[in-house]
Amino acid sequence: MNFLKALFGGEETSPEEEKKEAERKRFDLMKYDGVKAMKTGQWDYAVRCFEEALAMKDDLEVRDYLSHVLVRLDRMDEAIAQMNVLVEAEPENADLLLQAAHVYFMKEDYDGMAQMVEKVIALEPASAKAYYLYAQGTLKQGDLINGIARLTKAIALDEELGDARLLRAQTLLQMGDVNGAAEDCQWLMEHVGEHEDVLLLAARVAHAQGNDDDALHIYNKVVEINPFVVEAYAERGKICYDRGDKKQAEADMQKVLELNPQQMADVSGDYSAEGVEHKMKQAYSNLNPFGL
């Protein structure tokens, strides 16, 4: 065998080289088995594959895959640990920093999210997505003023960022600035069209402006587009109840309880027959469509 290798110019492979080649093949097998499992939703198996691959060799791509799977499994602390390794390896990768900020946001660690977002803004001052995410975290902490300021900055950087306009309008409406919310709502209706979230906003703005006929018409359109939007039934029913249309109000509340029994968990007893008027009044009095 050695004579043939020498004759044809080959070199004998050492046991150490053979071992390294076997480990390389095993690493590739685990990495791509993990990718395949990830694509088919076999999350637990994907984690095992990626962790075994990392035990053989530290690989940033594998860590990235693993972080995504851990997020899907709601294992946020582990996902953040992976993201922190990635960020440390590529501290000037704005996309990676923004991805890490999203993971912190999902974990409700808004201080960690803010640190990542501020690094993104330092690298890319014109990142509308960074300001939008920053605003989301700010609003979750109850800071409406700074939340609005950051949404406004995001929109100034990218006027087509519809999500930022929608969130700003919802927040302005919560703050009682109906005119400001109406301006964003008009832009969304013109540029986004009949999306259920935009229509819900439009119905709420119309109601806040005292145009209940318009609001009811829009709520009707929402449930035509998507008959599973609980908020549309609840808010339409509230308007009907206030206008004295108890039959429609009761029908809408029954629909709310059918779609989401926990929605009105504080309304005791079955929502039918005895005491329906009192329970309906209690349920609608607890409704707050303008909260975030």
Side-chain angles (χ1 to χ4, degrees), residues 228-231 233-234 252-271 279 283 286:
F228 301 101
V229 182
V230 175
E231 295 87 350
Y233 293 106
D252 280 339
M253 189 53 63
Q254 291 282 7
K255 193 68 177 179
V256 169
L257 294 171
E258 174 187 328
L259 293 172
N260 185 5
Q262 298 305 312
Q263 180 88 2
M264 297 299 171
D266 55 349
V267 181
S268 59
D270 295 330
Y271 191 83
K279 292 171 185 176
N286 292 336

Side-chain angles (χ1 to χ4, degrees), residues 217-233:
H217 175 74
I218 299 169
Y219 282 126
N220 291 342
K221 191 175 293 185
V222 174
V223 297
E224 287 174 9
I225 293 173
N226 183 354
F228 301 101
V229 182
V230 175
E231 295 87 350
Y233 293 106

Side-chain angles (χ1 to χ4, degrees), residues 8-49:
F8 291 105
E11 296 181 0
E12 185 175 1
T13 304
S14 69
E16 184 179 346
E17 289 172 330
E18 289 179 353
K19 181 180 178 180
K20 287 182 178 179
E21 179 62 15
E23 287 183 350
R24 184 191 66 78
K25 290 181 178 179
R26 178 66 177 169
F27 172 83
D28 288 342
L29 177 64
M30 288 294 96
K31 178 177 180 178
Y32 294 111
D33 269 6
V35 171
K36 182 178 178 181
M38 184 171 64
K39 290 180 178 179
T40 56
Q42 301 177 66
W43 310 116
D44 291 327
Y45 180 63
V47 169
R48 291 199 297 273
C49 289

Side-chain angles (χ1 to χ4, degrees), residues 29-206:
L29 177 64
M30 288 294 96
K31 178 177 180 178
Y32 294 111
D33 269 6
V35 171
K36 182 178 178 181
M38 184 171 64
K39 290 180 178 179
T40 56
Q42 301 177 66
W43 310 116
D44 291 327
Y45 180 63
V47 169
R48 291 199 297 273
C49 289
F50 292 141
E51 288 181 338
E52 186 169 338
L54 287 171
M56 289 182 277
K57 183 177 76 172
D58 195 357
D59 182 273
L60 295 181
E61 188 176 20
V62 172
R63 287 189 183 277
D64 187 35
Y65 290 142
L66 178 56
S67 70
H68 282 85
V69 176
L70 291 169
V71 167
R72 293 298 298 261
L73 291 170
D74 198 28
R75 292 162 61 176
M76 293 302 179
D77 288 337
E78 295 170 78
I80 285 176
Q82 296 299 326
M83 292 302 309
N84 285 338
V85 174
L86 293 169
V87 167
E88 185 176 350
E90 300 182 29
E92 295 188 357
N93 186 330
D95 289 338
L96 185 59
L97 288 165
L98 198 57
Q99 182 180 323
H102 274 288
V103 178
Y104 275 106
F105 178 78
M106 286 186 284
K107 186 178 179 292
E108 299 182 355
D109 182 348
Y110 303 120
D111 291 335
M113 182 216 71
Q115 291 177 14
M116 292 295 171
V117 169
E118 286 170 0
K119 291 178 181 179
V120 175
I121 293 172
L123 291 168
E124 297 185 358
S127 174
K129 291 181 180 179
Y131 278 103
Y132 172 57
L133 182 57
Y134 208 170
Q136 287 180 291
T138 303
L139 292 172
K140 287 292 186 180
Q141 292 176 293
D143 187 350
L144 303 187
I145 299 299
N146 281 316
I148 289 291
R150 286 166 182 153
L151 287 170
T152 301
K153 179 67 173 180
I155 294 165
L157 291 168
D158 181 2
E159 64 178 14
E160 299 298 318
L161 195 57
D163 287 341
R165 287 186 183 271
L166 177 62
L167 183 55
R168 185 172 70 175
Q170 292 169 336
T171 308
L172 288 170
L173 197 57
Q174 181 185 2
M175 296 171 68
D177 185 355
V178 179
N179 291 334
E183 289 180 10
D184 276 334
C185 183
Q186 182 177 351
W187 186 96
L188 288 163
M189 292 293 287
E190 292 173 357
H191 292 82
V192 178
E194 295 187 350
H195 185 280
E196 63 189 61
D197 290 334
V198 175
L199 289 172
L200 271 177
L201 170 66
R204 290 166 180 170
V205 168

